[in-house]
Amino acid sequence: MKRVEQHAAYGGRQEVWTHRSATLGCEMRIGVYLPEQALRGEKRPVLYWLSGLTCTEQNFLTKAGAQAHAARHGLIVIAPDTSPRGDDLPNDAAYDLGQGAGFYVNATEAPWAAHFRMQDYVADELPALVEAHFPASDARGISGHSMGGHGALVTALRRPGRYRSVSAFSPIVAPARAPWGEKAFTAYLGADRAAWQGWDASILVANASERLPFLIDQGLNDEFLAAQLRPEVLVEACKAVDHPIELRLRPGYDHSYYFIASFLGDHFAHHAAALRG
Amino acid sequence: MKRVEQHAAYGGRQEVWTHRSATLGCEMRIGVYLPEQALRGEKRPVLYWLSGLTCTEQNFLTKAGAQAHAARHGLIVIAPDTSPRGDDLPNDAAYDLGQGAGFYVNATEAPWAAHFRMQDYVADELPALVEAHFPASDARGISGHSMGGHGALVTALRRPGRYRSVSAFSPIVAPARAPWGEKAFTAYLGADRAAWQGWDASILVANASERLPFLIDQGLNDEFLAAQLRPEVLVEACKAVDHPIELRLRPGYDHSYYFIASFLGDHFAHHAAALRG
């Protein structure tokens, strides 16, 4: 691992590291916020943040105001890139497929399958790496935005016991029934929709083996709300199996980082309460 | 004036407006944060923020976390661009001259003099525009970063009575004796250093007609500290005339927005206290 950026921030340090990912077969960049306690070597819980379409690790670092909350609660925050990257890796000219659009799945189809294994990267390789290299405890929370909100929900559902808390902003809760998800899943997982079931939070929740409560914030002025996000689908699916969910609908708010920043403090409080436990 | 962006943020709204500037002879973009009270039509004080080299109005809007503080204190925040802009306007290939590097002076030299009048724009045209178009009171504070910190200090010193509060992050306090300032002033004001005296806070303070206290934050790990910023020059100049100044030196912090974000809350509190008055 190599540190390529470091900035003092709120008494701690915002860093960016690169490493060679065995899972993805490429160099990856990771945002790492270390609160003051961690800089002193104290083991701290970790909040993982998964970003949305077109993002790198930088968007969340620079636009969300997360460092203030991480410092207040003494949390390490890990923000990976949204896909494998590299000129020699498969890509697509569209913003919603290929590099910058990994969708947090393990691809099975050509040309993606060799590298696009973001689920295993995020849920396995990344925590192992973080817990080996930083003063990170094994108390983990996971959150994200849009494609990354989908990633957070699906990852928590697929890996029971791995996370103590989960939340999402404007998540794609039913990607198997939304245009972004249908396009990405067709490419990464193939045309057979049966293979998509394991990657859709609103389907997975029916068989969830743990009752990790979902905290979701959704802007009502979000241009993607009706066609792509549809949080009510997840609310219905949760109701059917009595899975705890709190959906906070926010009048006037859109899909931007201004929305995330406005309510990120609430999500940090939610995670910190569970991670202290 | 035309609104080109709007996002709900912290109960208020972050907007971007464009207008034709008579002073600069071009279209200008302005970031405008309106707290909830202003959206209801209540007149609120205004904090002006001047950004640094290479910035547009976007940097402060997206990276500083200012909306949280503006909402808490009920302040309108105005963040103009850092220079006139346009393909038909003079420019320079360097990052520290021309477009993106207006230095908040009124240029007297060709080819700059016709458009590069950022001082009159910031101190006259902009407040008049803001107070005519938004529910803004005439209680004004001014702050900024680096070149914009210089701009805030110089503007407050040149316009006694116009601002109730001033502060700066990592300001160029003595541009007439720093490489960035020497290059820009030579181009904009000519080679005669006598013409530069009115644009250097550490010189202007000697004849300040009001005792507006300076609040300055400076990171000690700032790569520009020794050669370009030298806050001790302003501290000495203030001491000589008993002008109130508080310089907060911050070990470990650099020149980035992570530094600004870390201490921006303190500056908002400083301005809000004066602007409530």
Side-chain angles (χ1 to χ4, degrees), chain A residues 7 10-11 61 253-254 258 261-262, chain B residues 7 10-11 61 253-254 261-262:
Chain A
H7 310 278
Y10 290 92
L61 273 51
Y253 284 85
D254 61 21
Y258 293 110
S262 296
Chain B
H7 310 277
Y10 290 92
L61 273 50
Y253 284 85
D254 61 22
S262 297

Side-chain angles (χ1 to χ4, degrees), chain B residues 86-110:
Chain B
D87 292 344
D88 51 338
L89 264 62
N91 201 2
D92 190 282
Y95 77 98
D96 54 2
L97 191 66
Q99 296 184 30
F103 271 86
Y104 305 103
V105 302
N106 292 329
T108 54
E109 302 302 296

Side-chain angles (χ1 to χ4, degrees), chain B residues 122-135:
Chain B
V122 161
D124 297 324
E125 186 178 4
L126 193 56
L129 190 78
V130 164
E131 290 159 33
H133 281 83
F134 302 103

Side-chain angles (χ1 to χ4, degrees), chain B residues 76-230:
Chain B
I76 294 173
V77 182
I78 302 294
D81 200 348
T82 54
S83 77
R85 301 266 183 188
D87 292 344
D88 51 338
L89 264 62
N91 201 2
D92 190 282
Y95 77 98
D96 54 2
L97 191 66
Q99 296 184 30
F103 271 86
Y104 305 103
V105 302
N106 292 329
T108 54
E109 302 302 296
W112 311 106
H115 296 280
F116 279 66
R117 303 185 58 79
M118 283 298 287
Q119 174 63 208
D120 285 352
Y121 176 67
V122 161
D124 297 324
E125 186 178 4
L126 193 56
L129 190 78
V130 164
E131 290 159 33
H133 281 83
F134 302 103
S137 78
D138 61 0
R140 307 176 199 99
I142 189 164
S143 185
H145 175 235
S146 196
M147 175 182 76
H150 142 74
L153 295 169
V154 160
T155 303
L157 284 162
R158 289 176 64 96
R159 311 282 176 142
R162 187 145 309 184
Y163 303 93
R164 294 194 192 169
S165 55
V166 60
S167 78
F169 287 84
S170 336
I172 309 170
V173 300
R177 289 165 280 174
W180 276 336
E182 290 171 320
K183 176 178 176 180
F185 287 3
T186 302
Y188 297 143
L189 306 171
D192 179 1
R193 287 174 178 251
W196 302 3
Q197 309 294 302
W199 302 103
D200 182 306
S202 66
I203 296 170
L204 284 169
V205 74
N207 297 304
S209 66
E210 65 175 6
R211 294 250 166 286
L212 215 53
F214 298 154
L215 169 62
I216 296 178
D217 265 84
Q218 174 63 58
L220 290 179
N221 202 27
D222 185 325
E223 60 182 312
F224 304 113
L225 177 55
Q228 303 279 10
L229 307 177
R230 301 168 62 205

